[in-house]
PDB file of all heavy atoms in Angstrom:
ATOM      1  N   GLN A 150     194.100 226.068 178.471  1.00 97.00           N
ATOM      2  CA  GLN A 150     194.260 227.510 178.313  1.00 97.00           C
ATOM      3  C   GLN A 150     194.026 227.958 176.877  1.00 97.00           C
ATOM      4  O   GLN A 150     193.528 229.063 176.638  1.00 97.00           O
ATOM      5  CB  GLN A 150     195.664 227.933 178.772  1.00 97.00           C
ATOM      6  CG  GLN A 150     195.874 229.433 178.870  1.00 97.00           C
ATOM      7  CD  GLN A 150     197.210 229.778 179.480  1.00 97.00           C
ATOM      8  OE1 GLN A 150     198.239 229.141 179.192  1.00 97.00           O
ATOM      9  NE2 GLN A 150     197.234 230.791 180.342  1.00 97.00           N
ATOM     10  N   VAL A 151     194.364 227.107 175.912  1.00 96.00           N
ATOM     11  CA  VAL A 151     194.156 227.476 174.501  1.00 96.00           C
ATOM     12  C   VAL A 151     192.871 226.883 173.936  1.00 96.00           C
ATOM     13  O   VAL A 151     192.635 226.939 172.727  1.00 96.00           O
ATOM     14  CB  VAL A 151     195.362 227.040 173.639  1.00 96.00           C
ATOM     15  CG1 VAL A 151     196.637 227.728 174.100  1.00 96.00           C
ATOM     16  CG2 VAL A 151     195.529 225.523 173.623  1.00 96.00           C
ATOM     17  N   GLY A 152     192.026 226.307 174.812  1.00 95.00           N
ATOM     18  CA  GLY A 152     190.726 225.833 174.365  1.00 95.00           C
ATOM     19  C   GLY A 152     190.700 224.420 173.827  1.00 95.00           C
ATOM     20  O   GLY A 152     189.810 224.072 173.042  1.00 95.00           O
ATOM     21  N   LEU A 153     191.646 223.583 174.246  1.00 96.00           N
ATOM     22  CA  LEU A 153     191.681 222.195 173.804  1.00 96.00           C
ATOM     23  C   LEU A 153     191.464 221.256 174.981  1.00 96.00           C
ATOM     24  O   LEU A 153     191.857 221.559 176.119  1.00 96.00           O
ATOM     25  CB  LEU A 153     193.028 221.871 173.148  1.00 96.00           C
ATOM     26  CG  LEU A 153     193.327 222.548 171.811  1.00 96.00           C
ATOM     27  CD1 LEU A 153     194.762 222.267 171.390  1.00 96.00           C
ATOM     28  CD2 LEU A 153     192.355 222.082 170.729  1.00 96.00           C
ATOM     29  N   ASP A 154     190.868 220.102 174.710  1.00 96.00           N
ATOM     30  CA  ASP A 154     190.670 219.075 175.727  1.00 96.00           C
ATOM     31  C   ASP A 154     192.024 218.434 176.043  1.00 96.00           C
ATOM     32  O   ASP A 154     192.771 218.085 175.120  1.00 96.00           O
ATOM     33  CB  ASP A 154     189.704 218.020 175.181  1.00 96.00           C
ATOM     34  CG  ASP A 154     189.248 217.031 176.250  1.00 96.00           C
ATOM     35  OD1 ASP A 154     190.064 216.651 177.116  1.00 96.00           O
ATOM     36  OD2 ASP A 154     188.073 216.646 176.214  1.00 96.00           O
ATOM     37  N   PRO A 155     192.371 218.259 177.321  1.00 96.00           N
ATOM     38  CA  PRO A 155     193.636 217.586 177.656  1.00 96.00           C
ATOM     39  C   PRO A 155     193.796 216.215 177.012  1.00 96.00           C
ATOM     40  O   PRO A 155     194.919 215.745 176.816  1.00 96.00           O
ATOM     41  CB  PRO A 155     193.569 217.488 179.190  1.00 96.00           C
ATOM     42  CG  PRO A 155     192.716 218.640 179.609  1.00 96.00           C
ATOM     43  CD  PRO A 155     191.680 218.766 178.515  1.00 96.00           C
ATOM     44  N   ALA A 156     192.666 215.570 176.656  1.00 95.00           N
ATOM     45  CA  ALA A 156     192.747 214.270 175.992  1.00 95.00           C
ATOM     46  C   ALA A 156     193.433 214.370 174.634  1.00 95.00           C
ATOM     47  O   ALA A 156     193.896 213.361 174.080  1.00 95.00           O
ATOM     48  CB  ALA A 156     191.349 213.682 175.822  1.00 95.00           C
ATOM     49  N   ALA A 157     193.531 215.586 174.092  1.00 95.00           N
ATOM     50  CA  ALA A 157     194.199 215.784 172.801  1.00 95.00           C
ATOM     51  C   ALA A 157     195.689 215.483 172.873  1.00 95.00           C
ATOM     52  O   ALA A 157     196.343 215.331 171.835  1.00 95.00           O
ATOM     53  CB  ALA A 157     193.995 217.225 172.329  1.00 95.00           C
ATOM     54  N   ALA A 158     196.244 215.393 174.071  1.00 96.00           N
ATOM     55  CA  ALA A 158     197.687 215.199 174.235  1.00 96.00           C
ATOM     56  C   ALA A 158     198.191 213.918 173.587  1.00 96.00           C
ATOM     57  O   ALA A 158     199.363 213.841 173.177  1.00 96.00           O
ATOM     58  CB  ALA A 158     198.052 215.211 175.716  1.00 96.00           C
ATOM     59  N   THR A 159     197.348 212.920 173.449  1.00 96.00           N
ATOM     60  CA  THR A 159     197.795 211.636 172.898  1.00 96.00           C
ATOM     61  C   THR A 159     197.551 211.515 171.390  1.00 96.00           C
ATOM     62  O   THR A 159     197.883 210.502 170.793  1.00 96.00           O
ATOM     63  CB  THR A 159     197.061 210.482 173.601  1.00 96.00           C
ATOM     64  OG1 THR A 159     195.644 210.627 173.402  1.00 96.00           O
ATOM     65  CG2 THR A 159     197.367 210.493 175.098  1.00 96.00           C
ATOM     66  N   ARG A 160     196.991 212.538 170.788  1.00 96.00           N
ATOM     67  CA  ARG A 160     196.661 212.495 169.360  1.00 96.00           C
ATOM     68  C   ARG A 160     197.729 213.210 168.538  1.00 96.00           C
ATOM     69  O   ARG A 160     198.612 213.879 169.073  1.00 96.00           O
ATOM     70  CB  ARG A 160     195.286 213.111 169.126  1.00 96.00           C
ATOM     71  CG  ARG A 160     194.165 212.342 169.821  1.00 96.00           C
ATOM     72  CD  ARG A 160     192.889 213.156 169.929  1.00 96.00           C
ATOM     73  NE  ARG A 160     192.339 213.478 168.616  1.00 96.00           N
ATOM     74  CZ  ARG A 160     191.342 214.322 168.434  1.00 96.00           C
ATOM     75  NH1 ARG A 160     190.797 214.957 169.470  1.00 96.00           N
ATOM     76  NH2 ARG A 160     190.888 214.562 167.206  1.00 96.00           N
ATOM     77  N   TYR A 161     197.618 213.055 167.200  1.00 96.00           N
ATOM     78  CA  TYR A 161     198.608 213.604 166.273  1.00 96.00           C
ATOM     79  C   TYR A 161     198.019 214.789 165.499  1.00 96.00           C
ATOM     80  O   TYR A 161     196.798 214.920 165.363  1.00 96.00           O
ATOM     81  CB  TYR A 161     199.077 212.520 165.304  1.00 96.00           C
ATOM     82  CG  TYR A 161     199.905 211.448 165.958  1.00 96.00           C
ATOM     83  CD1 TYR A 161     199.293 210.353 166.573  1.00 96.00           C
ATOM     84  CD2 TYR A 161     201.298 211.536 165.999  1.00 96.00           C
ATOM     85  CE1 TYR A 161     200.042 209.364 167.199  1.00 96.00           C
ATOM     86  CE2 TYR A 161     202.059 210.551 166.618  1.00 96.00           C
ATOM     87  CZ  TYR A 161     201.422 209.474 167.221  1.00 96.00           C
ATOM     88  OH  TYR A 161     202.176 208.515 167.850  1.00 96.00           O
ATOM     89  N   PRO A 162     198.886 215.675 164.977  1.00 94.00           N
ATOM     90  CA  PRO A 162     198.398 216.897 164.316  1.00 94.00           C
ATOM     91  C   PRO A 162     197.382 216.658 163.207  1.00 94.00           C
ATOM     92  O   PRO A 162     196.436 217.431 163.049  1.00 94.00           O
ATOM     93  CB  PRO A 162     199.687 217.520 163.764  1.00 94.00           C
ATOM     94  CG  PRO A 162     200.749 217.076 164.702  1.00 94.00           C
ATOM     95  CD  PRO A 162     200.364 215.678 165.093  1.00 94.00           C
ATOM     96  N   HIS A 163     197.545 215.586 162.427  1.00 94.00           N
ATOM     97  CA  HIS A 163     196.626 215.357 161.302  1.00 94.00           C
ATOM     98  C   HIS A 163     195.210 215.045 161.758  1.00 94.00           C
ATOM     99  O   HIS A 163     194.271 215.057 160.942  1.00 94.00           O
ATOM    100  CB  HIS A 163     197.155 214.229 160.409  1.00 94.00           C
ATOM    101  CG  HIS A 163     197.010 212.864 161.008  1.00 94.00           C
ATOM    102  ND1 HIS A 163     197.995 212.303 161.809  1.00 94.00           N
ATOM    103  CD2 HIS A 163     195.998 211.947 160.938  1.00 94.00           C
ATOM    104  CE1 HIS A 163     197.597 211.104 162.199  1.00 94.00           C
ATOM    105  NE2 HIS A 163     196.400 210.860 161.686  1.00 94.00           N
ATOM    106  N   GLN A 164     195.018 214.779 163.032  1.00 95.00           N
ATOM    107  CA  GLN A 164     193.699 214.453 163.559  1.00 95.00           C
ATOM    108  C   GLN A 164     192.908 215.689 163.989  1.00 95.00           C
ATOM    109  O   GLN A 164     191.813 215.561 164.531  1.00 95.00           O
ATOM    110  CB  GLN A 164     193.837 213.482 164.737  1.00 95.00           C
ATOM    111  CG  GLN A 164     194.447 212.139 164.347  1.00 95.00           C
ATOM    112  CD  GLN A 164     194.669 211.244 165.549  1.00 95.00           C
ATOM    113  OE1 GLN A 164     195.553 211.458 166.368  1.00 95.00           O
ATOM    114  NE2 GLN A 164     193.814 210.218 165.674  1.00 95.00           N
ATOM    115  N   PHE A 165     193.467 216.867 163.723  1.00 94.00           N
ATOM    116  CA  PHE A 165     192.826 218.110 164.150  1.00 94.00           C
ATOM    117  C   PHE A 165     192.528 219.004 162.954  1.00 94.00           C
ATOM    118  O   PHE A 165     193.150 218.884 161.891  1.00 94.00           O
ATOM    119  CB  PHE A 165     193.735 218.862 165.123  1.00 94.00           C
ATOM    120  CG  PHE A 165     193.982 218.129 166.406  1.00 94.00           C
ATOM    121  CD1 PHE A 165     195.046 217.242 166.520  1.00 94.00           C
ATOM    122  CD2 PHE A 165     193.155 218.321 167.495  1.00 94.00           C
ATOM    123  CE1 PHE A 165     195.280 216.563 167.700  1.00 94.00           C
ATOM    124  CE2 PHE A 165     193.377 217.641 168.679  1.00 94.00           C
ATOM    125  CZ  PHE A 165     194.438 216.759 168.792  1.00 94.00           C
ATOM    126  N   SER A 166     191.604 219.923 163.142  1.00 93.00           N
ATOM    127  CA  SER A 166     191.295 220.937 162.122  1.00 93.00           C
ATOM    128  C   SER A 166     192.384 221.999 162.110  1.00 93.00           C
ATOM    129  O   SER A 166     193.241 222.051 163.006  1.00 93.00           O
ATOM    130  CB  SER A 166     189.943 221.583 162.422  1.00 93.00           C
ATOM    131  OG  SER A 166     190.026 222.357 163.616  1.00 93.00           O
TER     132      SER A 166
END
Side-chain angles (χ1 to χ4, degrees):
Q150 189 173 40
V151 299
L153 292 173
D154 190 322
T159 60
R160 297 163 63 190
Y161 291 86
H163 74 271
Q164 297 176 288
F165 296 89
S166 67

